[in-house]
């Protein structure tokens, strides 16, 4: 556990991550597709964390709209999550620079490709990784911080299947730059556990989908709440491994995978637009419902600001509990 | 995190787990096949933790020998890990009762089958689970505690693939009886993380294989030390999911699985005796090398007592670090 942090007189957190982003609490709301629009990002930022707009499901026009709204509605800094394999990425980057967005989290793809461009525009760059090896490459590429995301996280995942518990300590061992943990974090105890393992901040995804501010369909949010252990699985490893909720679409994928069909057949079953169908439009049967294992502990839809407050109070509470027990 | 614990004036730990087993520290050394004989178990017990003999790879005669040696060499209580699907299990239980072993950890199989027999003989019974659902069944069956083991653990794993980070909080939410965490725990920070998540003790496997006292072959121990992220994988899901180190045997399994061969063909490739071949005899090519993901953080072979001491000092140190930072 790093010791270069402190609680401020105002009750905020001071460490490399809060200073890097200019935020009160080391809590980042993941920029998820079909969930993280300006409403969610501004709610989290206004509550003292860092809200991220999920550009991965936004055309340049839609991203432009969300950036405008977020700037108008956030008194604090917010950022954008930008998957690097998006075909319209140059336009998205132009918009991000035009709107003077101060922070960008990149994922999927080579951090060397865009990091210099973004940093030259004065933007803080963070890259999401699933291995120490890739974390080192990001450090070499000059990013300001990395998010190390474990096997339990929703959406696209690394091939090593390293869990958060095993990943964070090893990334911490190997890199110098600031480290944010993601995957399986949904409450104060998992936030504290991540910090104890060596992280300096936490990125939270699934928990923030279950908010009124997330743009996802209510039916999807309710399905997350119903989820128990074993409700998600990492599938489509022949294409790109993705963690999603089990549903009829999942059943078709598994049936095909259990017959060892070719890549092309899986691509055909996957088709186009299933994540939108499921997560935004609420089609729980045909949709691809990307979410994390931590769903099994999520019990309600709660305003984003209340989640941030609950995390922060709980995190503080754990410090007090531990301090009281220390000789 | 539970608050019903304290550090004693002697610098030991007092909570439900240490009282249940009569141990100084809430550290259990997993009873692993081809690794956990009397030398390892007695070293850990003498150092203040709970050593477990791995009966899963022992015939009744061999178990008898290890129990005798352990009693002679342990000043403290030790236990036995007993996979319930072993064909000679009645004999093993008779020996355990005859030798007055006070603690048995059972795994694989129905806790209802033997729990009453063992408890009637005055033995404390703990069952290993990989889900909250099964933890509740164990509670109903009258066990004294459960070990909840995450996806990252070595050897046989649950089918839900729930990670330690996601499993422990949910099992904690659902059960009343004492909870021990396993999977991905190899140092003080992961031990602390597990306790923060809600565990009252930790079971550690892979780390204790890398000791001079473990009965495994040196070549296997060295391969664990070499392991990095992605060096293990959960395979043979068509039979029973098992996490093992990648090696030529693994390559053959994967090749077969990638062609969707039938169960029977996988059973043929697996054959008999591969775990012994690899873990005990040091055949790194043909052997089945069961070990956890936490291998990526293990850097040396260290005496078991030194590991216990390192864990305990580190755990204490984290309490102090956190206390110093608390307002």
């Amino acid at each position: 556990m790093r010791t270069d942090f402190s609680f401020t007189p105002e009750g905020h957190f001071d460490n490399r991550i809060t200073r890097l982003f200019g935020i009160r609490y080391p809590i980042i709301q993941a920029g998820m597709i079909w969930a993280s629009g300006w409403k969610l990002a501004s709610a989290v930022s206004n509550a003292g964390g860092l809200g991220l707009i999920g550009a991965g499901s936004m055309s340049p026009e839609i991203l432009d709209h969300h950036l405008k709204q977020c700037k108008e509605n956030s008194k604090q800094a917010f950022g954008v999550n930008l998957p690097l394999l998006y075909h319209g990425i140059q336009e998205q980057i132009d918009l991000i620079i035009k709107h003077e967005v101060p922070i960008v989290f990149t994922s999927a793809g080579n951090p060397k490709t865009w990091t210099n461009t973004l940093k030259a525009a004065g933007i803080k760059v963070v890259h999401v990784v699933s291995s120490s090896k890739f974390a080192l490459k990001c450090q070499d590429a000059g990013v300001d911080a990395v998010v190390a995301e474990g096997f339990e996280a929703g959406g696209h995942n690394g091939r090593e299947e390293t869990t958060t518990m095993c990943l964070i300590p090893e990334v911490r061992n190997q890199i110098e730059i600031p480290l944010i943990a993601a995957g399986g974090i949904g409450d104060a105890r998992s936030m504290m556990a991540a910090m104890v393992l060596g992280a300096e901040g936490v990125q939270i995804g699934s928990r923030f989908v279950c908010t009124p501010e997330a743009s996802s369909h209510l039916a999807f949010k309710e399905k997350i709440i119903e989820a128990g252990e074993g409700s998600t699985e990492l599938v489509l490893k022949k294409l790109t491994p993705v963690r999603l909720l089990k549903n009829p679409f999942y059943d078709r994928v598994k049936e095909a995978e259990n017959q060892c069909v070719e890549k092309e057949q899986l691509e055909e079953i996957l088709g186009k637009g299933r994540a939108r169908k499921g997560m935004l439009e609420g089609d729980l049967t045909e949709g691809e419902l990307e979410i994390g294992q931590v769903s099994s502990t999520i019990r309600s839809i709660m305003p984003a600001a209340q989640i941030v407050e609950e995390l922060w109070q709980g995190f503080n509470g754990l410090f007090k509990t531990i301090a009281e027990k220390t000789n």
Side-chain angles (χ1 to χ4, degrees), chain A residues 185-187 189 205-212 218 220-231 291-303 306-307 310:
Chain A
I185 301 165
D187 59 15
R189 48 191 173 172
S206 310
R207 184 83 201 272
F208 280 117
V209 177
C210 292
T211 56
L218 179 61
F220 176 44
K221 297 175 191 179
E222 288 174 341
K223 195 159 165 73
I224 296 166
I225 288 165
E226 275 172 36
E229 285 152 20
S231 286
I291 208 74
Q293 278 192 359
V294 80
S295 302
S296 63
T297 58
I298 299 173
R299 296 281 193 272
S300 66
I301 293 173
M302 188 185 284
Q306 198 180 323
I307 292 176
E310 177 204 285

Side-chain angles (χ1 to χ4, degrees), chain A residues 73-108:
Chain A
N73 288 277
S74 307
K75 301 178 208 68
Q76 308 294 332
F78 65 91
V80 174
N81 185 77
L82 192 64
L84 297 179
L85 302 174
Y86 183 71
H87 57 272
I89 193 170
Q90 181 70 71
E91 280 193 80
Q92 290 184 316
I93 287 181
D94 291 342
L95 282 164
I96 284 165
I97 292 174
K98 177 184 118 183
H99 284 287
E100 297 180 315
V101 176
I103 300 158
V104 171
F105 279 47
T106 50
S107 55

Side-chain angles (χ1 to χ4, degrees), chain A residues 20 23 135 223 303 305:
Chain A
L20 181 67
I23 53 179
K223 195 159 165 73

Side-chain angles (χ1 to χ4, degrees), chain A residues 66-79:
Chain A
H66 280 268
L67 293 177
K68 282 202 189 89
Q69 291 296 326
C70 214
K71 276 161 66 181
E72 275 173 44
N73 288 277
S74 307
K75 301 178 208 68
Q76 308 294 332
F78 65 91

Side-chain angles (χ1 to χ4, degrees), chain A residues 196-269:
Chain A
V196 161
L197 290 173
E200 299 161 78
V202 292
Q203 176 170 284
I204 295 175
S206 310
R207 184 83 201 272
F208 280 117
V209 177
C210 292
T211 56
E213 297 94 345
S215 44
S216 305
H217 199 281
L218 179 61
F220 176 44
K221 297 175 191 179
E222 288 174 341
K223 195 159 165 73
I224 296 166
I225 288 165
E226 275 172 36
E229 285 152 20
S231 286
T232 70
E233 191 173 316
L234 195 69
V235 294
L236 292 171
K237 299 182 193 185
K238 242 182 188 168
L239 304 179
T240 310
V242 61
R243 177 170 298 286
L244 40 70
L245 278 171
K246 295 177 180 176
N247 70 341
F249 163 65
Y250 157 89
D251 291 337
R252 283 177 55 195
V253 168
K254 283 302 280 182
E255 196 187 340
E257 289 186 336
N258 288 341
Q259 290 162 28
C260 284
V261 304
E262 293 304 320
K263 258 182 80 166
E264 291 73 22
Q265 267 178 274
L266 289 173
E267 278 163 348
E268 214 182 288
I269 294 172

Side-chain angles (χ1 to χ4, degrees), chain A residues 5 46 162 219 282:
Chain A
F5 70 88
N46 288 336
T162 310

